[in-house]
C-alpha cells in the first residue's frame, strides 16, 4: 500500500488521475460490465482487480450512477492491503457523499487526508482536505472543520492559490457557524472581491450582513442593505 511521503510512487495514482480527468459518465452496459468484473475478481479473491474496479465503480456512484453491487463492495475489499490507499479512500468518500452517507464520507476523507497531506501536495490532497472540512462542518464539528481549512491554507498546496477566495468564503461561513463572528469578518476581508463571481459577491454581502447584525454594528449593516 502507499506510504505517506512516497506518493509519487503510488501504484494507483495514474488510475486516479485518469478517472478524475474523464468527465463522461458510464453507459449502463459498461456499468453492468464493471459489476460483473468485480464479482468475478471477488470470487477469485484477486485484490488487484477488485481495487481497480472499486476505483471505477466509486467514480460512477459519485457521478450519481446507480450500482447494484456497490453497497456490498466495500465489505469485499476491506481485507485487501490497498484498501487503505489514500486515492481509493478519496474516491470512496466522494461516493459516500453522493449517497448522502455523511459519516462514512467523513471517515474515508479522514483516512485519505492522513496520508496525502504528509506526501505529495497534489490536487487530490487539496480536494480531500477541502471535502473533509465540509463533511465535518455538516456534522456540526465546526471547530475541527475550521482547523482542517486553516491547515490547508497554511500548506504549500498549489490548489490553495487557485481557489483561495472559495476557501476563505467557506472558512468564514464555518467560523460563523462556530459563533466566531469577528474572526469570520477578518476572514472575509482577505477575499479579493474583484475576482469573485457575482453570485459569490452576493453570498459575501449576506454573510457580512449577518455578522454585523450579530455584532450590533448597525451602521455597517445598513450600508450592506443599500448596496
Amino acid at each position: 500500500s502507499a506510504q505517506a511521503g512516497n506518493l509519487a510512487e503510488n501504484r494507483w495514482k495514474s488510475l486516479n488521475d485518469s478517472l478524475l480527468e474523464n468527465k463522461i459518465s458510464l453507459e449502463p452496459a459498461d456499468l453492468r460490465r464493471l459489476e460483473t468484473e468485480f464479482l468475478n475478481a471477488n470470487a477469485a479473491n484477486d485484490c488487484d482487480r477488485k481495487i481497480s474496479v472499486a476505483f471505477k465503480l466509486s467514480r460512477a456512484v459519485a457521478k450519481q450512477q446507480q450500482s447494484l453491487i456497490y453497497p456490498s463492495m466495500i465489505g469485499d475489499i476491506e481485507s485487501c492491503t490497498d484498501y487503505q490507499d489514500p486515492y481509493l479512500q478519496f474516491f470512496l468518500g466522494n461516493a459516500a457523499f453522493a449517497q448522502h452517507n455523511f459519516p462514512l464520507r467523513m471517515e474515508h476523507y479522514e483516512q485519505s487526508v492522513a496520508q496525502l497531506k504528509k506526501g505529495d501536495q497534489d490536487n487530490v490532497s487539496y480536494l480531500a482536505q477541502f471535502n473533509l472540512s465540509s463533511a465535518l462542518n455538516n456534522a456540526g464539528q465546526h471547530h475541527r472543520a475550521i482547523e482542517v481549512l486553516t491547515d490547508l491554507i497554511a500548506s504549500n498546496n498549489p490548489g490553495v492559490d487557485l481557489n483561495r477566495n472559495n476557501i476563505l468564503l467557506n472558512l468564514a461561513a464555518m467560523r460563523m457557524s462556530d459563533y466566531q463572528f469577528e474572526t469570520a469578518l477578518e476572514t472575509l476581508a482577505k477575499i479579493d472581491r474583484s475576482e469573485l463571481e457575482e453570485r459569490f459577491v452576493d453570498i459575501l454581502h449576506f454573510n457580512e450582513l449577518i455578522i454585523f447584525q450579530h455584532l450590533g454594528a448597525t451602521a455597517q449593516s445598513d450600508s450592506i442593505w443599500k448596496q
Side-chain angles (χ1 to χ4, degrees):
S1 61
Q3 298 297 317
N6 195 30
L7 295 173
E9 300 175 9
N10 182 289
R11 62 189 303 224
W12 298 110
K13 190 177 189 306
S14 60
L15 176 58
N16 160 84
D17 293 344
S18 66
L19 288 173
L20 287 180
E21 289 173 4
N22 180 11
K23 307 297 183 183
I24 302 173
S25 297
L26 292 173
E27 294 293 333
D30 294 325
L31 189 57
R32 300 289 87 81
R33 178 186 56 78
L34 276 177
E35 291 174 334
T36 300
E37 184 180 348
F38 182 86
L39 292 173
N40 290 337
N42 195 42
N45 197 27
D46 186 338
C47 272
D48 277 3
R49 283 174 60 203
K50 286 198 292 183
I51 294 296
S52 178
V53 178
F55 266 97
K56 298 167 187 175
L57 284 177
S58 298
R59 177 64 167 166
V61 171
K63 296 171 81 171
Q64 304 296 329
Q65 294 185 269
Q66 299 298 316
S67 169
L68 300 175
I69 71 166
Y70 191 83
S72 62
M73 183 197 75
I74 294 179
D76 292 330
I77 63 176
E78 283 182 332
S79 60
C80 295
T81 302
D82 282 352
Y83 172 72
Q84 299 295 335
D85 180 85
Y87 294 114
L88 177 61
Q89 290 296 318
F90 171 72
F91 272 74
L92 294 176
N94 292 344
F97 174 69
Q99 295 178 315
H100 305 288
N101 188 335
F102 299 114
L104 188 59
R105 172 196 182 197
M106 190 161 52
E107 177 184 331
H108 288 309
Y109 285 147
E110 283 187 306
Q111 291 189 49
S112 179
V113 167
Q115 298 180 69
L116 284 170
K117 76 173 187 177
K118 296 176 183 176
D120 292 350
Q121 295 294 314
D122 61 6
N123 187 48
V124 171
S125 175
Y126 161 73
L127 290 172
Q129 290 177 80
F130 187 85
N131 292 351
L132 173 58
S133 69
S134 177
L136 289 165
N137 195 57
N138 288 342
Q141 299 186 40
H142 307 304
H143 189 66
R144 285 192 61 206
I146 291 167
E147 285 183 346
V148 171
L149 269 196
T150 302
D151 287 346
L152 177 58
I153 291 172
S155 74
N156 61 351
N157 193 303
V160 173
D161 288 335
L162 293 173
N163 301 279
R164 185 172 299 276
N165 284 337
N166 188 33
I167 297 172
L168 290 171
L169 198 58
N170 279 270
L171 179 57
M174 291 175 187
R175 284 175 165 158
M176 290 168 64
S177 297
D178 201 39
Y179 299 97
Q180 300 178 23
F181 294 109
E182 291 183 355
T183 310
L185 189 61
E186 293 172 1
T187 302
L188 290 177
K190 297 176 182 177
I191 293 176
D192 185 345
R193 303 180 185 218
S194 66
E195 295 183 356
L196 280 183
E197 296 178 27
E198 185 175 349
R199 61 194 178 100
F200 291 122
V201 172
D202 291 341
I203 293 173
L204 187 152
H205 286 160
F206 182 71
N207 286 346
E208 284 181 327
L209 177 64
I210 294 174
I211 292 171
F212 288 139
Q213 289 176 340
H214 274 278
L215 296 178
T218 306
Q220 290 92 331
S221 178
D222 289 344
S223 69
I224 296 292
W225 280 114
K226 295 175 182 177
Q227 290 185 20

